[in-house]
Amino acid sequence: MNTRTITDPISQRDVSNPSSHPCAYMGDGEHGIEVFFESEENRNTFLTEMQVSPSRKVVCGSSSDDYVAEG
């Protein structure tokens, strides 16, 4: 499933006409997210700041059927 968001993650404002604004797609074509930006500068800032370093952990998934709280 692909998701499309028109809220610029940098400015936190909605992009009124997405087809005329820059965007970034992250995913494999079948599953991913398309993010629209107010400006190319915001897009570049987002792409630069969102680089995942090897020390960061990314948790994916939506199923919590087998989750057991510990502690």
Side-chain angles (χ1 to χ4, degrees):
M1 178 174 93
N2 287 305
T3 302
R4 181 183 208 197
T5 179
I6 59 167
T7 302
D8 184 321
I10 303 300
S11 69
Q12 297 296 305
R13 291 190 291 259
D14 287 343
V15 176
S16 60
N17 187 6
S19 62
S20 65
H21 286 82
C23 70
Y25 179 83
M26 293 152 287
D28 61 10
E30 186 176 337
H31 304 289
I33 184 167
E34 186 176 21
V35 182
F36 286 87
F37 301 89
E38 288 188 305
S39 67
E40 187 66 32
E41 181 181 349
N42 285 2
R43 185 181 86 87
N44 290 336
T45 299
F46 176 81
L47 293 174
T48 300
E49 291 180 3
M50 293 305 295
Q51 295 296 321
V52 178
S53 67
S55 63
R56 291 178 73 184
K57 294 181 181 177
V58 178
V59 179
C60 298
S62 60
S63 177
S64 60
D65 293 340
D66 55 277
Y67 172 76
V68 177
E70 295 179 16

